[in-house]
Each structure stands twice: as structure tokens, then as C-alpha cells.
Amino acid sequence: MKQTNYLFLKKGPATSWTWIVWGAFSALAWGPFYLWGVLVWTWGALITGIYHSKTLKEALIIGWMWGFGWHAASVFWIGESLWVDSLRFAWFWPFCVTGIPAVFSCYFGIMSGILWWGKRRFWSSPRAFGIMWCVLYSLMEYLKGVLFTGFPWNLTAYIWSQSLWIAQSASLLSSYGLGLITLGVLSWPGRFFLKCSTERSWWKGVIFMALGLAGVSSWSLFRLYNIHIYFHSKKGIRLVQPNIPQNEKQDSRKISINWNTLTRLSDEKGNIPITHVIWPETAVPFFVPSYALERVIPLAKTRKEPTHLIAGVLIHDKKQSLNSIIQVTSQGERKLVYSKQHLVPFGEYLPFRSYLSMVLPKKLLDALSPGERDVDQEKENDASVDVLDAPACIMKICYEIIFPFSNRDQRAKWILNLTNDGWFGYSPGPFQHLASAQFRAIETGLPVLRAANTGISAVFDGMGRTLAILPLKRQGYIDTLLPAPVPSYRNWHGYVYAGMLFLLTCCALRYSLKKDEN
């Protein structure tokens, strides 16, 4: 790749490594750091680099390299899960930490190529180019979240997880819509600098950025201070976080120890009457055949007061293992209420296993992913689930909570998220996962109750406000009342987001047609 001078980079030489560093630096804007100000510089560098590319190939390389740096720094923690069973999976670690970023960076490369190609034909002015960068980046983010089962991790909107005065806008705009607004606002200084290439234009862009942030936050602040927290009843719910090391969860020698940990935390006396105890994903410390749910002992036999149990369990049959949620009533009735529908590729299933088995040995396929369930068996469903003596809820297991969804089942009054981030140690992963759960509350107006084996149990009301939280690597429990839902615009999110993309595209084309270079 040729060396090129870029105005935003103070006319320094730009190499392939330069763009990887810019992308990696961008990861500081997401959890657990939330230094969103770095995006003013890194996005500005990306816009300027693509604009001044001399060839399509150069634009493609810049976008891909930037995306590789961002993904490598954002999701490197996925490789931590391979060390839990190191004898089986450690060999795959270098392929994981480089291969995943390399694949997802293709979205950035394609986006950059389209942007450069469009500059020569449709959006020639710097102002139009900057607007179309926002549109195409947002559209790329959406496609990454839905194509090939989707991976909407670290959406742009999530940089505001610790800034509810802006994040609240997702209740009206959706996460994708807020991300589009964020792209436009934080890239303002870089776009002004691109247009005029003067220090004055840079500071003018900063002023417009500040005004844009003030505009986005004004409606959010009004909503935050005018909608208060209400609760369904005085009945209490306990979220248990046992903090059991991942390599001990299914250890047959630890079954009684793990069970005693769960029941002890469930039975401790709290400040409010507890009617429901919730255990995290795959908390039941043994495989349960679908025909033998009676193996799960009711808490009524171990707890002093009668309590319903909702627990994550691995239902194991001959041909498949189902990551599920069961309900055990205080009277001892056991019922399978939900099984995970959106599986983790390579973690819980191997995509296109039936085709790969024709060319790869079975031993290699089993080393890549356990089980025999293929992607074509997934069925998306956001319908609510009835919970005994509590309002109906939407259940999401682990990875499923990262997907924005629009639930039209008005019976649902809350979201239950069971998860286990013990696979990823003390890394950015659990914090980023928590941000996704928080934004599901903001988008839907439904409170989210999140029980984790470790990292991070929490309770969010329908505004995304944190009512209680149990930190990573901490054993304990959260006792909470069930918050009531708040007004939501989730059924309009798709229309709002599509309208925003359309209007910005029209603005960009208008600037180009008028050859507005001011």
C-alpha cells in the first residue's frame, strides 16, 4: 500500500499499521472504558483516509485495516473461552483472535469501497461525503447484526451505556437510530476539517458537535426526570450469582458442592419476602434428560420458605443438548418453559455441519464445536412466557440479549436474561454484554432482570436505570421487587430508523447536485 498524506493526521505518512492502530484505539469508547471522545479522532481519521484514497483498492484496505484493529481490540476476549478446556481448544486460539476480526472487518472494507466509489459519481462534495459515511457506516452496522445469524456486538449506541442522558434516546430511535445520530454528531469535527482543511473549521465542528449532543440529550433528560420507578407488587425476586469457576461447573466431583452453593445463597434471609429465586444459565450442576426433570429438587425442600425456582439447565438427549430454562414450583411441579433459540456459532453449534462433514473428518468437527445441531434449526420467537405468580416475561439466554428486537406481544411485562460470562474471565466481554442488556430495557420499556453465574448480575428498570448490580467475580445475590414497564415506541423503531437513513441520503445527494463546497 502506498504512503499517503492525510490532513486529519497532520500530514504524516499513513501505513497499514496506522489504520489498525486507529481502529484499535477506537475500542476505548466501549465498555468497560466508555471514553467515547476518542471516536472524534479515530472516526475523523477514517473519513479523511477514505476520502483521500487514490484508488478503490486503497479505500478497501484502509476500511478493512481500521475494522480489523477495532474488532481485534474489542472482541479479543472471545479467545479466553478456549482456555477453559485448553487441552481441546487451545490450538484454536490464534485462529479465533485473528480470524473473527478478519471476517467482520470485511464489512468495513466493503463500506469504504462503496463510499469511495460513490464519491466519484453521487456524493462528490466533502459535506455530502461525510453524511454518506454516517449512512453507510450505520447501514453496515445493521447488516452485520442480521446477516449470517448476525453479530450486533458493540453497536455504536452502546458507547452511551454510562450516559443515560443520551442513551435514553434509544427508546424513541432504537439502538441503530441512536447509533446513526451518534455517528453524525461525533464525526462533525472531522467532517468540517475535511471540508475546509483549516484549524478554524475543526473548532467549528467541535461547537456543532456540542450543540448536537445537547440536542440529543434534551429529550432524554426530560424523559428521565418525568417518568418515575413503580413496582408491580411487594413480592420479591432473588437473582443468584454463585460465581462458580467455569471448569468446575460440570465437574462430576463438584456437583454437591455447586448445588450447596446455589441452595445456600437461595436460602439466606433477605430484607423482603422472596417468592421467586432465579438461577443463571446452566446453573443446575448436572445434565438433565428431558424425560427426567424430577431430578431437579424443588427449593421447597432446601429453603425454609416456599419459593418458586427459575433456573438455567442443560437438557441433554442423545442427539442434541438444549440450553434451557425450567420452572420448579414450591409444590414441586417441574416444567420446561424455554429453550435457547439463537445459538452461538462454533460455541453451541457448527454452521453448515452437514455440508462440512462431507469434506472434513468428524474428529475435527467435534473439536471445533460440540453437539449436532445445525443453523437451519433455529427459530426466532420473541413471544412472552408465562411465569407462575408473576407477570409474563420475555426470556433470553446469554447471547440472545444482544439482538435488538421488537416484541408485539403486549402481555410481556419484563425481560429475564440468564447468562454465564465465566468463560471470559475478567475482560471487557462481560461489561459489553451488560450494556446490551441495558439497551434492551431502554428500547422496549421493559425492565430487565439479569442473573449471571458471574459477570454481571443486574436489575434495570424500563428506562435503563441501574437499580441493583452485582460485580464481576463476586458471589452473592440481588433481592429486588419487579419494576413496572414504562411507555415505549418499540413498534415504530424500524420506520424511524429507515426514515432517518432516507432523509440523510437525500441531504447528501442534494449537496452533491448543488455542488455545495461550503
Side-chain angles (χ1 to χ4, degrees), residues 142 146 152 155 158 170 174-176 342 380-384 393-397 399-409 412 414-417 436-437 439-448 488-494:
Y142 173 79
V146 298
L155 297 180
Y158 298 170
S174 79
S175 291
Y176 291 115
H342 205 132
E380 294 295 329
N381 183 9
D382 287 330
S384 60
C393 75
I394 298 171
M395 292 187 175
K396 297 291 178 183
I397 298 178
Y399 178 76
E400 294 180 309
I401 199 68
I402 75 172
F403 294 89
F405 58 92
S406 177
N407 180 61
R408 297 180 184 276
D409 187 346
W414 56 298
I415 299 172
L416 175 62
N417 177 213
S436 294
F439 268 81
R440 297 298 82 77
I442 298 172
E443 289 173 341
T444 63
L446 303 177
V448 172
S488 169
Y489 310 96
R490 62 183 179 273
N491 291 336
W492 296 94
H493 284 171

Side-chain angles (χ1 to χ4, degrees), residues 107-154:
Y107 287 97
F108 286 84
I110 294 171
M111 179 269 294
S112 301
I114 294 174
L115 189 62
W116 184 89
W117 174 82
K119 169 196 167 186
R120 299 166 62 90
R121 291 168 174 80
F122 302 111
W123 43 82
S124 55
S125 73
R127 178 178 290 179
F129 181 88
I131 294 175
M132 285 308 300
W133 178 86
C134 300
V135 171
L136 291 175
Y137 190 108
S138 179
L139 187 59
M140 174 272 301
E141 189 171 61
Y142 173 79
L143 293 175
K144 186 163 74 83
V146 298
L147 295 179
F148 311 110
T149 77
F151 188 66
W153 194 270
N154 276 358

Side-chain angles (χ1 to χ4, degrees), residues 319-370:
K319 291 187 177 181
Q320 61 182 0
S321 296
L322 299 178
N323 194 345
S324 304
I325 299 175
I326 62 171
Q327 180 174 265
V328 185
T329 69
S330 57
Q331 291 76 33
E333 179 184 354
R334 303 163 182 86
K335 182 181 179 182
L336 176 64
V337 293
Y338 180 79
S339 291
K340 191 173 183 180
Q341 296 164 4
H342 205 132
L343 306 178
V344 180
F346 298 100
E348 294 174 309
Y349 79 98
L350 184 63
F352 312 112
R353 179 186 287 270
S354 59
Y355 298 102
L356 293 174
S357 62
M358 298 178 184
V359 295
L360 297 176
K362 184 177 185 300
K363 184 175 291 188
L364 176 59
L365 296 179
D366 291 341
L368 289 174
S369 179

Side-chain angles (χ1 to χ4, degrees), residues 424-441:
F424 309 112
Y426 202 96
S427 69
F431 297 93
Q432 296 169 3
H433 201 182
L434 182 71
S436 294
Q438 181 184 30
F439 268 81
R440 297 298 82 77

Side-chain angles (χ1 to χ4, degrees), residues 3-243:
Q3 291 188 347
T4 310
N5 292 334
Y6 297 102
L7 296 171
F8 192 86
L9 303 178
K10 295 296 184 182
K11 299 185 179 181
T15 66
S16 297
W17 285 106
T18 302
W19 300 111
I20 292 177
V21 171
W22 278 114
F25 195 49
S26 302
L28 294 174
W30 283 265
F33 311 104
Y34 298 108
L35 302 176
W36 52 265
V38 302
L39 295 177
V40 176
W41 299 95
T42 59
W43 280 348
L46 179 61
I47 294 170
T48 309
I50 298 171
Y51 185 83
H52 288 287
S53 297
K54 292 182 172 59
T55 64
L56 175 61
K57 180 181 177 181
E58 188 174 345
L60 289 169
I61 291 175
I62 287 174
W64 189 90
M65 288 290 184
W66 193 98
F68 181 85
W70 180 73
H71 282 100
S74 296
V75 299
F76 71 90
W77 48 266
I78 294 177
E80 293 293 314
S81 62
L82 302 176
W83 297 103
V84 174
D85 188 359
S86 58
L87 292 178
R88 182 179 179 185
F89 295 112
W91 66 273
F92 196 62
W93 184 85
F95 301 98
C96 176
V97 297
T98 59
I100 291 176
V103 171
F104 287 120
S105 298
C106 293
Y107 287 97
F108 286 84
I110 294 171
M111 179 269 294
S112 301
I114 294 174
L115 189 62
W116 184 89
W117 174 82
K119 169 196 167 186
R120 299 166 62 90
R121 291 168 174 80
F122 302 111
W123 43 82
S124 55
S125 73
R127 178 178 290 179
F129 181 88
I131 294 175
M132 285 308 300
W133 178 86
C134 300
V135 171
L136 291 175
Y137 190 108
S138 179
L139 187 59
M140 174 272 301
E141 189 171 61
Y142 173 79
L143 293 175
K144 186 163 74 83
V146 298
L147 295 179
F148 311 110
T149 77
F151 188 66
W153 194 270
N154 276 358
L155 297 180
T156 297
Y158 298 170
I159 67 173
W160 306 117
S161 177
Q162 302 301 303
S163 307
L164 277 182
W165 49 280
I166 290 181
Q168 198 55 219
S169 297
S171 62
L172 176 64
L173 305 173
S174 79
S175 291
Y176 291 115
L178 177 56
L180 179 56
I181 293 294
T182 302
L183 286 161
V185 170
L186 295 190
S187 67
W188 227 322
R191 288 186 284 120
F192 265 83
F193 191 79
L194 177 67
K195 184 180 72 170
C196 301
S197 303
T198 65
E199 186 174 350
R200 181 180 299 177
S201 67
W202 166 258
W203 286 108
K204 187 177 180 180
V206 171
I207 293 172
F208 274 89
M209 181 184 72
L211 293 175
L213 290 175
V216 174
S217 62
S218 59
W219 182 82
S220 296
L221 290 172
F222 176 83
R223 180 177 166 87
L224 280 171
Y225 285 106
N226 283 276
I227 298 181
H228 304 289
I229 303 173
Y230 297 96
F231 298 92
H232 278 290
S233 67
K234 294 183 180 180
K235 295 180 179 180
I237 297 175
R238 173 167 292 182
L239 307 175
V240 175
Q241 180 168 296
N243 191 32

